[in-house]
Amino acid sequence: MSDVASNGFVIPGALITTLTHRPKPESEPGSESESQSGSGSDMDDRPPQYLFKETRVDLEPDTPTSVVVVPLPGQDRLAALSSRILPRRQQSTAHAASIAEDETTFVKDHLASAASLFFRQNDVYPRSVLWRVLSARRTLAVRFVDFTRDPKDEPEAPLELRFVFSDTIRPAAVSIAEDEATETLVVFVLTTSNDLYTIPLRPDTFRETARSQKDTPTSWCQIYRSPSFAFRYPHRLVARSAQELVVTLHDGGLLRLTRQAGEDGSAWKETFNNEGGWGSSLRNLIPWQGNHTVSYGNVSLEETTLTSLAFSPSSDADDYNLIFGVSLDHRLKAWNLSTGRMESSRDLCNGERQPHDGARYAIDPSYTDLVTVLDQKPRRAGYICYLATFSPLKNGEFKFWAVVEGASGPELRDLHAGSKLEPVPPSSDLWAMAQFRVVPSEEQDKLELWVLWKNNTSYQVEMLKFDLLNACEGWGERRAWTTTETLRETPLPTMTENMKADPTQAWMDHIFYPGRFTRATLLTALSIYERGVHLPSGSAVKGHSSLEERICSSVASSVVPGRNSKGQMDYRRFQMDVDVQWRRYYRIIAELDKQRGEAISLVYDTHGRMPWIVNADGVTPVRQCNELELIWHNGTELVTGQANLVRDSLMTTLDLQYQDDVGKIAGLITAASTFSECFSETLMQSCMAALEFEVLQDSSDTVATRIRSFYDRCKFEQSISDDDYSQLATAMDQIGGFSALTTELFQSVMEIVLQRKSSQTSGLKLTLFGEKTIVRGAQETIQLTGNILADLLYLLVFVEIEERQQEGSEISFDTPTVFLDLVRLLRQYAVLRWFGKTTRLEQTRGGGQDSRSEMIQANGSSSETSVQAPRVSTVLQNPWIHNWKPIWVEGDPPMSSNLTTYINEALAGIELSDPEQYGQQVMWLQRTFLRRGETDLAMAFLPYQPIGSWSEYITARLYLSVGQYALARIHFRRAAYQLAHREGGSLAVNATDDLLSREIERYFNAGLPSYYLHIAQLYDEKQAYSFVSEFAYTGMIFLSHYTKKDKLQRQRALLNLGFNASLKTGCFDEAYSDIMRCPDKTLQRTFVEQLITTMTSSGESAQLITFPFLGVRDIVEEILFEKAKEEHHLQRQNQQHHQLQVRPPRVIDGGSTSTTDPTNTKHPSYDTILYAFRLRHRDFRGAAMALYERLEFIKSSPSTSFISASTTKRVTGNTTTSAKGIATTSKGSRNDTTATNTQEDNEETRNKLVTRTYLALINLLAAMDPEHAWFIVDLSSSSKRDVSQSMTNGNGNDSSLMDDSSKGSPRKSFYLVYYLFIPFFL
C-alpha cells in the first residue's frame, strides 16, 4: 500500500511517516523542564554540555571478496553431511547479492535486527568482534573492528564471515566467548529449532578467503539439541565462558550447560535451577488458569522468566558462583549456581508490592540489559560486589545494590533506600531508555553511567558521573551528551535566482560524498523512485552503466522540458523541475538512511575505555571532542559560564595562554556563527564563491584592496539587513562589543586550530577499519574547522568595512595580518576538504605484511593463481592516512581520547600548515597522480597548486600527459629559467619517484640547454615532433655558456633530437641546417644518410639535390653510390627469382619502386639521384659516370624485367640550360609507352630505354668542353663482357674481351677512356 504525498509523488507509506528528527545541539537534550525527572526538576533548566562526538562508520564491504558466506546445516542434516564435503564458502560479489526493490527488502537484507560487540580481554589483535543478525534473522555476520595492530604480528584479518542458518535465530540468543587457552573465539547461536550451534573461529579464519575443499560441517560448527527443549522453551542465551552457558527458560528456570576444555560442543552437561524446585517445574508444564503469563512471539512466558542476566566477578567464583537476573515480574534475583539455590529476591525498585499487583509490574520481555555488575573498588568489608539495575516502568528508575554476606548467604542491599534516581530524558518528546552501562570513571572513586535513549529511529547517548555511595547528592548535575557529526547537517543544494548551472552536479557531489550513503541505499532509493515516477521497472539494475549514470538518467527522464511564452526552450524552468526531482529522490535516501542509523545496542569497551554504538547498518565509536569542537558545540554555555564540565575538559587540553580567554574565544566563534546563520541562500552562495576565488588565487594586490574586493563580491552591503546587524551586535555584546576584537583574539582561535601535541610513533599500524574511522573523523574535523574559519573571515571583512572605517571606531586589530592568516588556513583546509571528498581506485600494493597487498585466492583452493580485488578510497585515506603511523600518547588515556588524538595527528601529518611544506606536499601528490596515470584527479587538483617554477613544471607535465601540448609548452617555458639556474627552490624527491628521480640530477639546475633537452625528450616520447624541434633549437641557442666538453655533449644530444624531429615533420631545411652545424663527423654522416633515405622515400629527391652540402659532398656521393649498388644487387636477386613472372619490385631504403627507367622522378633510383646531384652541382664528368653505371645496369637486366612497366618516364624533361649550354634536370616529366606481353615487345622496350640513356650520356658529354669530355671506367671482371658488347653491337654476341677468371686465371683490369665520339656513331 502506498501513500501519496502532497506533490503527487508516490512512495511507500513507511517512507513518508513523520519521524522525530534529532534537534540541533542548541535545543537537544534538556531543553524543556519536566516534572517526571523525579530527582529535582531544576536541573532540567541547565543547558546540555557536549563532551563527546559520534563517528559513524558504515560497514559496506571494501571489496567484493571481503564478504564470505558460509551455509550451515541444521542438526537434521548434520549427520547426513558429516561424512561429505561441505560446499565451498561463497564469496559475495556485490557486497549484498540482491538489490532491494523496496523498503521491506532493504530492511531485511541490509539492516541488523540484533547486533553487539565482544571484546577480548587480552590486548592482542584482533580483539574487537562485531556480530550482526541479518536477513530476517537467518544470517549471522561476524567481523573485526579494531583500529590498530602490530605490523610484526600476523597480517590483517579484514574478512567478514556470514553464517547462513537453516532456521531462524532466536532473539537474544547469540553470545560470544573466548577460549584463552587456544586463543579462539567461540560463537554460540540458538535457533528456533532449538539447535545450539558452537562455532569456533580462529583469527586466521578472517584472513583466508576460503578454506580447503576438505572442510566438513564438523570443522565449522557442532550442533547440540537439549532434550529438555522439547517441553521447556529457551528465552535468553548468555555465555559466561567458552565452557559455560546459561539459558533462561520460559517457566522461570535456568539451564546451565557446561563442558570440559577441549570438547567440541557436540555434547553438554545440563544442570537445571528453578525457583520452586522440581514441583514448580512440573506445575509450569500444565497451563494452570491462575498463572500470569506474558506473550512473546509464539511463546507464553511465565512472569518469573528471567529476561536479563549478569554474573558475579570471576575473582569471586571460588566463594560465590552467583548469577543475577531480572524477571518479568519486576524482581531482582540472585542465584547461586554452585548450590542451585536462589539466594535473594527483591523488587527491582525495592518497593512494597501486593500479591494482586503483578500485572502492574510486568516488564516487556524484549528488555535484555536491566542489570549489570559494577567493577567498583575498593569494596567495603563483607561486600561481594555492586549491582546497578534499571526499572523501565513509568519514568524509569535506577537502583544500586550491594551484594553482601548475610547470615544464611548472599543478600541484596539497597545502597540508597528511600531515594529515587530517575533518568532525565533528552527532551519533552517520548524518549525511552534502551540500554545503560556503568563503568569506572577516570576520576578516582567515581563511576560513569552511559545511557542510550531512543525515540523511533532517533537516539541520544548520555553520560552521567556520580559517586556510587553518594549518588543521591548531585544526581544528574555532572551530565554530558554526545553530539552527532556536522557532516550530517550539511545543507542541501539549493536553486537561487542567480544560479545558472544545472543542479545535477551539486546533488551528485552531495549524495556521493564518501561515507555518506552506501551503494545499497542509493540503489534501493532509486528503485523506489523509479516506481514512484512510473519509469520502467528494473532500470536501476540493468545495463553496464555506472550507478552515477543510472541515477542521473532516471532523474532526468522524469522531467519534460517546457517552453516559454515565446516558444523557446525554458531552461530555467527545466532546471527548477530537475531540482525538484532530485529533492524527491534525496528524501527517499534520507528516510532509508534514518533506518540505517538506528541504534541497536550500546557497548562499552572496559579495556580500551570507549563507548560504542552499534547501528542497524554501521558502527559508531564515541570519542571525546577536540578543543575546537568543545568550543563550537558549547559556545553559548562557555560565554555564560554554564559549562563547567566543558571548561574542566578544556583546562586539561588547552595551553595555559588560552585558558583565561576561553569565554572570549567561544564568544568570537559564536558571534561569527550567528552572523553567517543569518545569510540568505543567495548571499551564502556569493560568499562561498568569493571565498573560493580568494583562497585559490595568489593576488599581487594590496591586502586592503583584496578585503574591499571580497566585501563587494559577497554583496554584504545589499544583503545584510538591520535585523541581521542587530543579531550580530547582540552576539558581540557577550564579549564586550566590537571593540573587544583584537589581533590576539583572532590568533588564539587560529592557534587552537593549529595546536598539535608533540609525540612519537607507537610502532602500530592502522587496520583498514581504523583507516576508515580516522578518515571519517578527519572529514568531520575538516568540515567543522573550515566552517569556523570561513565564518571568522566573513566577520572580519564585514567589521573592517562597516565598523572600523566609521568615525569614532575603537576597533584596533591588525586586519591585514589576520586576513592573510585566515586565508592561508582556509587554503589549507580547502585542500584537505578536497582530499576528503575525492575518491580514487586504490592501486595494488605489493610486499610486506600488509594484508591489503596480499593476493586473495579466487576459488578457495591452494592454487597459486590469485587476484587482487580493487578498492575505492578517498585521497585522504590513500595515500595520507594509509601511510600515517599511530602516535604514542604519554600516560594511559582512554581510547575515546586517543581516537581524537589520532585524527588530529593524522591531519597534522599531512603537513600543510607551513607554506613551504604546503608546496612540497601538494606537488608530491600531483607527481603521484601523474606517475599512476590518474590525470583526471591531477586536473581536478590543479587549482590548489601553489605558484612557483616547480608548480609550472608539474602543470606542464600534466598537460603533456593529456595531449595538450601547446598549453604544456607555455608552462615549460615559464619554469625554464628558475629550474635551470638553481632558483626554483627545492622539491622533495623520493628515491622511488619515477616521475622525477631520473631527471632531477641530470637536467635541472644545469643550465637552459640541459633543461630544454629534457623537455625535448619528453615531447619526443609523446611523438610531438614539432615541439621537439622547437625546444631542441631553443636549447642550442644557450650553448655558449658551457665548457667545450659539456657543450659538445649537449649539442650532440640536442642536434640528434632536433634532426630526427625535423625529419618526422618534413622540415628538411632545418634538418640540413643541423647537418651543417653538427661538430661530430660520425654523427654528421649518420644525419646525411638519414636525410637522404627520408627525403627519397618521401618523394623529395628534387629538393635533396638542391642542398649544397658544403664540406660533406663527398659523403653524400659516397652514400648515394653505396645505396645504388645495394639497390642494384637486390633488384638482380629479384630478377633471378622472377624470370617467368614479373612482380612489383621491392622498395629498398626508400629507393625506386620501378627500376627500369632512370628518368622516373616519382620514386627515382639512387643512381638517378646521384646523376642529378652531380649534374646540379656542375660535376659533369661525375654525372656522366653515374649515368654510365645506370646504362650498364639496364643493359645487363633481362628483358622480362620490363614487362610491368606500362609506361616509362624520363628525367630529362624540364631541363634548364646553363650559360655553357649544359642541361640540368630539375623535375622529371612523364612519357608513357605501352608494353606488351611478348618477348619482342619486352626487348624493344629495353632497347628504347638503352637508346635514350645513350643519348643522354652523349648529350652530357657533348655539353662539356672537348678537352674534358671523358671519364675513366674500371673494367672489372663483372663488367668486361658488358663493355665489349656495348662497343660492338650491343647484342651480346661477341665475348672476345671476357677474361678467364672463371677458369682460375688471375683477375685482370682493363680501363677504357670514353670521350666525345658522336662522329664515330654517325
Side-chain angles (χ1 to χ4, degrees):
M1 183 176 180
S2 301
D3 294 334
V4 181
S6 59
N7 53 16
F9 182 59
V10 181
I11 59 175
L15 288 182
I16 60 174
T17 301
T18 302
L19 302 177
T20 303
H21 293 267
R22 297 182 64 186
K24 293 184 179 180
E26 286 74 8
S27 60
E28 230 174 15
S31 57
E32 297 185 23
S33 175
E34 298 183 33
S35 59
Q36 63 181 6
S37 62
S39 58
S41 60
D42 56 332
M43 61 180 160
D44 294 339
D45 296 331
R46 298 188 182 95
Q49 301 182 59
Y50 298 95
L51 295 180
F52 305 94
K53 172 154 287 192
E54 302 170 7
T55 304
R56 180 171 146 192
V57 184
D58 67 71
L59 299 175
E60 193 170 25
D62 300 291
T63 65
T65 56
S66 296
V67 176
V68 181
V69 179
V70 183
L72 296 179
Q75 189 186 45
D76 297 336
R77 296 184 58 206
L78 183 61
L81 293 176
S82 60
S83 60
R84 295 167 50 191
I85 296 176
L86 185 68
R88 298 179 189 172
R89 297 189 289 178
Q90 305 171 4
Q91 296 180 7
S92 175
T93 57
H95 300 348
S98 61
I99 298 175
E101 297 289 338
D102 52 32
E103 181 188 6
T104 303
T105 307
F106 175 80
V107 171
K108 183 187 72 173
D109 293 344
H110 301 283
L111 304 187
S113 56
S116 187
L117 282 161
F118 172 81
F119 300 99
R120 299 170 65 186
Q121 296 301 315
N122 298 327
D123 190 12
V124 294
Y125 173 83
R127 64 172 301 269
S128 304
V129 187
L130 170 68
W131 62 265
R132 299 181 296 151
V133 177
L134 304 168
S135 304
R137 308 193 67 84
R138 285 185 176 270
T139 300
L140 176 67
V142 183
R143 61 170 295 174
F144 296 122
V145 288
D146 295 87
F147 297 128
T148 60
R149 66 182 181 90
D150 191 341
K152 299 178 182 178
D153 295 338
E154 295 294 327
E156 186 173 345
L159 299 181
E160 177 180 298
L161 303 183
R162 292 191 178 183
F163 299 97
V164 181
F165 296 85
S166 57
D167 298 291
T168 306
I169 300 174
R170 287 183 176 274
V174 177
S175 190
I176 300 179
E178 179 186 8
D179 189 345
E180 297 183 3
T182 61
E183 296 185 355
T184 301
L185 293 172
V186 185
V187 180
F188 301 101
V189 180
L190 188 60
T191 64
T192 54
S193 61
N194 296 327
D195 291 337
L196 175 62
Y197 287 79
T198 302
I199 308 174
L201 297 174
R202 292 186 58 83
D204 290 341
T205 310
F206 296 85
R207 297 186 178 101
E208 304 169 358
T209 308
R211 284 188 175 181
S212 173
Q213 296 184 14
K214 298 181 180 180
D215 283 350
T216 62
T218 55
S219 66
W220 273 113
C221 67
Q222 292 295 334
I223 303 176
Y224 173 76
R225 181 177 296 176
S226 172
S228 62
F229 288 162
F231 53 90
R232 306 178 78 176
Y233 305 113
H235 179 58
R236 291 285 184 266
L237 170 68
V238 181
R240 186 175 189 180
S241 67
Q243 287 77 37
E244 182 179 1
L245 305 178
V246 175
V247 181
T248 66
L249 304 174
H250 83 289
D251 58 359
L254 289 175
L255 173 61
R256 183 186 181 196
L257 301 175
T258 57
R259 61 172 179 160
Q260 297 296 322
E263 295 182 347
D264 58 6
S266 59
W268 293 83
K269 178 183 177 181
E270 298 186 358
T271 304
F272 287 94
N273 301 93
N274 195 286
E275 182 177 351
W278 285 103
S280 176
S281 299
L282 292 174
R283 286 193 301 271
N284 289 332
L285 298 178
I286 304 174
W288 298 96
Q289 185 175 1
N291 287 356
H292 295 290
T293 60
V294 179
S295 296
Y296 187 60
N298 299 326
V299 180
S300 295
L301 303 176
E302 294 291 331
E303 62 180 4
T304 58
T305 301
L306 298 176
T307 190
S308 180
L309 298 177
F311 298 97
S312 61
S314 57
S315 60
D316 300 320
D318 296 337
D319 299 327
Y320 296 101
N321 190 8
L322 301 178
I323 183 172
F324 309 98
V326 175
S327 58
L328 299 182
D329 58 355
H330 200 261
R331 300 194 69 85
L332 173 63
K333 301 175 181 180
W335 296 76
N336 191 328
L337 296 179
S338 300
T339 62
R341 186 181 65 177
M342 187 175 67
E343 300 286 355
S344 179
S345 177
R346 303 287 294 273
D347 179 75
L348 199 58
C349 294
N350 198 20
E352 297 295 333
R353 294 169 51 179
Q354 300 298 325
H356 60 274
D357 291 339
R360 295 173 50 192
Y361 290 90
I363 296 177
D364 191 320
S366 62
Y367 280 100
T368 59
D369 293 295
L370 299 178
V371 59
T372 183
V373 176
L374 306 184
D375 185 14
Q376 173 70 356
K377 296 179 180 180
R379 298 166 180 165
R380 295 182 179 180
Y383 281 24
I384 299 175
C385 61
Y386 295 109
L387 301 180
T389 61
F390 177 75
S391 170
L393 303 182
K394 297 183 179 180
N395 297 329
E397 181 180 352
F398 285 103
K399 274 292 179 181
F400 297 96
W401 309 81
V403 182
V404 299
E405 297 178 359
S408 59
E411 297 179 353
L412 296 172
R413 180 179 300 175
D414 186 358
L415 291 178
H416 307 288
S419 300
K420 297 185 66 175
L421 303 177
E422 296 182 349
V424 180
S427 66
S428 60
D429 296 326
L430 297 179
W431 292 90
M433 200 220 71
Q435 284 181 307
F436 74 96
R437 297 287 183 268
V438 182
V439 296
S441 174
E442 296 298 313
E443 301 180 22
Q444 187 175 4
D445 298 332
K446 298 292 184 181
L447 292 176
E448 292 179 356
L449 171 65
W450 290 86
V451 179
L452 173 64
W453 294 93
K454 293 188 65 175
N455 179 355
N456 206 334
T457 58
S458 301
Y459 70 89
Q460 267 286 292
V461 176
E462 174 191 11
M463 189 278 294
L464 184 147
K465 288 186 178 183
F466 66 98
D467 187 339
L468 176 62
L469 302 181
N470 301 291
C472 295
E473 299 178 5
W475 173 260
E477 291 183 359
R478 305 190 66 187
R479 187 172 61 148
W481 299 85
T482 64
T483 181
T484 57
E485 301 167 306
T486 56
L487 283 171
R488 302 194 177 278
E489 301 172 4
T490 304
L492 299 180
T494 55
M495 286 287 295
T496 61
E497 297 179 357
N498 299 329
M499 187 175 179
K500 298 181 180 179
D502 190 336
T504 297
Q505 187 59 50
W507 279 105
M508 291 290 289
D509 293 341
H510 183 83
I511 290 174
F512 284 94
Y513 186 87
R516 179 164 287 160
F517 304 115
T518 62
R519 179 182 177 86
T521 305
L522 298 179
L523 282 172
T524 303
L526 181 60
S527 179
I528 297 172
Y529 171 82
E530 288 177 334
R531 292 203 313 274
V533 296
H534 308 294
L535 290 176
S537 177
S539 60
V541 296
K542 294 182 179 180
H544 300 285
S545 57
S546 64
L547 177 58
E548 293 86 345
E549 293 173 339
R550 281 182 277 172
I551 293 176
C552 290
S553 176
S554 296
V555 172
S557 299
S558 61
V559 179
V560 179
R563 297 185 179 275
N564 55 24
S565 58
K566 298 180 180 179
Q568 300 174 345
M569 187 70 69
D570 192 344
Y571 293 103
R572 181 62 181 174
R573 186 64 209 171
F574 176 76
Q575 292 177 355
M576 297 294 292
D577 293 341
V578 169
D579 183 69
V580 170
Q581 294 302 322
W582 276 111
R583 291 184 181 277
R584 292 178 175 179
Y585 175 57
Y586 182 82
R587 184 179 60 182
I588 303 174
I589 298 174
E591 293 297 336
L592 291 176
D593 190 64
K594 278 184 183 179
Q595 299 181 64
R596 290 184 58 240
E598 179 182 0
I600 302 298
S601 62
L602 171 67
V603 187
Y604 193 91
D605 180 9
T606 56
H607 179 80
R609 291 171 292 168
M610 183 173 73
W612 295 69
I613 302 167
V614 183
N615 307 94
D617 187 20
V619 63
T620 305
V622 178
R623 61 179 179 86
Q624 295 182 10
C625 292
N626 61 31
E627 295 87 348
L628 200 61
E629 290 170 337
L630 287 172
I631 296 174
W632 167 261
H633 293 295
N634 305 278
T636 303
E637 292 73 21
L638 286 172
V639 173
T640 58
Q642 295 179 300
N644 294 330
L645 288 178
V646 177
R647 183 177 290 274
D648 293 343
S649 179
L650 286 172
M651 293 303 103
T652 61
T653 56
L654 277 180
D655 289 345
L656 293 175
Q657 56 181 329
Y658 308 122
Q659 293 181 2
D660 295 336
D661 297 328
V662 167
K664 290 186 177 180
I665 293 174
L668 174 61
I669 294 177
T670 302
S673 175
T674 302
F675 179 59
S676 63
E677 285 177 357
C678 71
F679 290 178
S680 63
E681 294 178 352
T682 302
L683 175 58
M684 179 56 72
Q685 289 186 0
S686 299
C687 291
M688 293 175 63
L691 179 62
E692 181 179 6
F693 178 82
E694 185 63 40
V695 166
L696 296 183
Q697 73 155 350
D698 288 284
S699 177
S700 59
D701 295 335
T702 63
V703 177
T705 303
R706 292 169 62 180
I707 293 176
R708 184 68 199 190
S709 177
F710 188 92
Y711 177 86
D712 294 337
R713 286 194 299 270
C714 290
K715 302 178 181 179
F716 282 142
E717 186 175 2
Q718 300 91 339
S719 304
I720 300 298
S721 64
D722 293 339
D723 292 339
D724 299 335
Y725 180 82
S726 298
Q727 294 183 29
L728 174 60
T730 302
M732 290 300 302
D733 289 340
Q734 297 289 329
I735 60 174
F738 291 104
S739 59
L741 296 178
T742 62
T743 304
E744 292 75 14
L745 187 58
F746 279 101
Q747 289 180 341
S748 297
V749 178
M750 290 184 279
E751 287 296 328
I752 294 175
V753 171
L754 294 173
Q755 182 175 338
R756 296 291 182 264
K757 302 177 179 65
S758 59
S759 54
Q760 59 184 2
T761 58
S762 61
L764 300 177
K765 181 177 179 59
L766 289 175
T767 63
L768 190 58
F769 178 81
E771 288 183 15
K772 293 177 64 175
T773 306
I774 299 298
V775 167
R776 189 62 181 175
Q779 290 174 329
E780 164 69 12
T781 302
I782 291 168
Q783 171 137 327
L784 178 61
T785 306
N787 291 342
I788 292 175
L789 294 174
D791 292 345
L792 290 176
L793 185 64
Y794 301 149
L795 176 64
L796 174 73
V797 172
F798 181 80
V799 171
E800 173 67 17
I801 300 299
E802 294 287 345
E803 290 293 328
R804 186 172 181 178
Q805 297 183 3
Q806 302 295 329
E807 294 184 3
S809 175
E810 298 180 358
I811 302 175
S812 60
F813 60 86
D814 187 357
T815 305
T817 300
V818 176
F819 179 84
L820 293 177
D821 289 342
L822 283 174
V823 170
R824 177 175 54 83
L825 279 176
L826 282 166
R827 183 184 181 91
Q828 170 186 341
Y829 275 86
V831 173
L832 292 174
R833 185 172 297 186
W834 188 90
F835 290 166
K837 72 177 183 180
T838 305
T839 58
R840 65 190 301 202
L841 188 64
E842 190 169 327
Q843 301 290 330
T844 301
R845 302 187 180 104
Q849 292 295 324
D850 191 343
S851 65
R852 279 161 287 177
S853 65
E854 296 173 359
M855 307 306 287
I856 298 178
Q857 297 297 325
N859 298 317
S861 65
S862 59
S863 172
E864 295 181 358
T865 303
S866 55
V867 294
Q868 176 75 21
R871 179 182 292 109
V872 176
S873 61
T874 63
V875 177
L876 184 62
Q877 180 177 353
N878 179 23
W880 302 116
I881 303 300
H882 174 71
N883 294 323
W884 178 77
K885 305 299 181 183
I887 55 95
W888 176 82
V889 183
E890 185 177 359
D892 186 24
M895 192 62 208
S896 58
S897 174
N898 282 347
L899 182 57
T900 301
T901 304
Y902 286 173
I903 293 171
N904 293 338
E905 293 289 342
L907 288 177
I910 303 179
E911 297 180 346
L912 297 177
S913 57
D914 182 79
E916 183 176 354
Q917 292 177 331
Y918 174 91
Q920 295 279 0
Q921 297 293 68
V922 168
M923 301 317 301
W924 176 84
L925 183 62
Q926 278 289 52
R927 300 203 310 272
T928 301
F929 288 152
L930 291 177
R931 187 174 66 252
R932 297 184 178 182
E934 298 170 304
T935 55
D936 54 338
L937 294 178
M939 291 295 292
F941 192 54
L942 198 58
Y944 301 97
Q945 287 187 189
I947 288 180
S949 56
W950 281 116
S951 178
E952 296 288 352
Y953 173 81
I954 296 299
T955 303
R957 291 292 297 267
L958 172 58
Y959 284 130
L960 187 67
S961 63
V962 298
Q964 299 186 24
Y965 302 135
L967 286 175
R969 172 179 57 187
I970 296 173
H971 292 280
F972 276 136
R973 289 192 174 276
R974 289 177 180 175
Y977 187 83
Q978 290 182 330
L979 294 185
H981 295 91
R982 302 181 183 274
E983 298 179 12
S986 60
L987 183 65
V989 178
N990 191 286
T992 60
D993 192 340
D994 296 335
L995 188 67
L996 288 179
S997 60
R998 292 176 296 178
E999 295 91 349
I1000 187 70
E1001 183 176 358
R1002 295 175 52 193
Y1003 299 112
F1004 296 135
N1005 303 328
L1008 287 172
S1010 294
Y1011 173 80
Y1012 284 124
L1013 172 61
H1014 167 56
I1015 304 305
Q1017 290 173 341
L1018 294 178
Y1019 275 107
D1020 187 64
E1021 293 175 0
K1022 296 293 182 179
Q1023 298 182 357
Y1025 297 112
S1026 60
F1027 296 94
V1028 175
S1029 298
E1030 176 184 343
F1031 283 101
Y1033 296 141
T1034 304
M1036 285 187 283
I1037 296 175
F1038 300 97
L1039 283 173
S1040 58
H1041 301 288
Y1042 276 87
T1043 63
K1044 183 177 181 181
K1045 180 179 179 180
D1046 292 339
K1047 178 179 180 180
L1048 290 176
Q1049 182 180 1
R1050 294 291 187 270
Q1051 186 179 24
R1052 186 182 298 109
L1054 289 168
L1055 282 173
N1056 193 22
L1057 284 171
F1059 177 80
N1060 291 330
S1062 298
L1063 293 184
K1064 295 290 186 180
T1065 56
C1067 299
F1068 300 119
D1069 292 335
E1070 296 180 1
Y1072 172 75
S1073 300
D1074 290 337
I1075 295 175
M1076 293 298 98
R1077 66 166 65 98
C1078 182
D1080 190 332
K1081 296 301 181 183
T1082 303
L1083 184 61
Q1084 190 177 49
R1085 178 182 175 86
T1086 303
F1087 284 174
V1088 171
E1089 185 173 359
Q1090 292 178 359
L1091 179 65
I1092 292 173
T1093 302
T1094 303
M1095 294 189 70
T1096 301
S1097 62
S1098 302
E1100 299 294 338
S1101 55
Q1103 182 184 3
L1104 174 64
I1105 64 177
T1106 62
F1107 293 141
F1109 288 104
L1110 300 177
V1112 293
R1113 276 187 54 188
D1114 294 342
I1115 297 177
V1116 174
E1117 294 184 3
E1118 180 182 351
I1119 293 173
L1120 288 174
F1121 181 75
E1122 290 175 354
K1123 287 186 173 293
K1125 288 177 60 178
E1126 181 182 359
E1127 187 177 47
H1128 293 169
H1129 175 71
L1130 293 177
Q1131 288 173 354
R1132 282 196 178 95
Q1133 288 182 344
N1134 290 339
Q1135 293 166 6
Q1136 292 174 3
H1137 288 85
H1138 302 283
Q1139 291 293 335
L1140 299 179
Q1141 181 180 4
V1142 180
R1143 297 182 180 180
R1146 292 174 56 189
V1147 179
I1148 306 168
D1149 291 337
S1152 173
T1153 59
S1154 177
T1155 62
T1156 61
D1157 191 349
T1159 62
N1160 186 345
T1161 57
K1162 183 176 181 181
H1163 299 289
S1165 60
Y1166 282 107
D1167 49 10
T1168 304
I1169 297 174
L1170 178 59
Y1171 160 75
F1173 178 78
R1174 289 174 174 175
L1175 197 63
R1176 174 76 180 185
H1177 294 85
R1178 305 180 66 82
D1179 182 7
F1180 302 120
R1181 184 181 290 113
M1185 293 178 65
L1187 194 58
Y1188 168 77
E1189 293 290 340
R1190 181 62 179 164
L1191 175 64
E1192 293 304 310
F1193 171 73
I1194 296 174
K1195 289 169 59 181
S1196 63
S1197 301
S1199 60
T1200 55
S1201 63
F1202 300 95
I1203 190 171
S1204 63
S1206 59
T1207 60
T1208 57
K1209 305 172 184 178
R1210 302 177 60 190
V1211 296
T1212 55
N1214 293 338
T1215 58
T1216 58
T1217 306
S1218 63
K1220 293 185 179 182
I1222 301 174
T1224 59
T1225 303
S1226 62
K1227 188 176 183 180
S1229 63
R1230 299 179 180 180
N1231 183 16
D1232 297 339
T1233 303
T1234 304
T1236 65
N1237 291 329
T1238 63
Q1239 181 65 28
E1240 293 80 2
D1241 292 338
N1242 294 341
E1243 188 68 28
E1244 181 181 359
T1245 300
R1246 186 182 67 171
N1247 291 339
K1248 288 181 179 180
L1249 185 57
V1250 170
T1251 303
R1252 287 200 303 271
T1253 306
Y1254 263 124
L1255 291 176
L1257 177 59
I1258 294 171
N1259 186 39
L1260 179 59
L1261 292 174
M1264 298 173 59
D1265 189 320
E1267 295 181 0
H1268 302 286
W1270 58 268
F1271 59 90
I1272 300 175
V1273 177
D1274 181 8
L1275 297 180
S1276 62
S1277 61
S1278 61
S1279 61
K1280 290 177 183 178
R1281 184 179 59 180
D1282 297 336
V1283 173
S1284 175
Q1285 293 172 351
S1286 65
M1287 293 183 65
T1288 55
N1289 53 17
N1291 56 13
N1293 294 328
D1294 190 355
S1295 59
S1296 59
L1297 295 180
M1298 291 183 60
D1299 67 5
D1300 54 356
S1301 60
S1302 61
K1303 301 177 182 180
S1305 60
R1307 175 183 293 267
K1308 300 178 182 179
S1309 297
F1310 295 83
Y1311 294 91
L1312 294 181
V1313 179
Y1314 278 75
Y1315 55 92
L1316 187 58
F1317 50 94
I1318 295 178
F1320 174 80
F1321 281 99
L1322 292 177

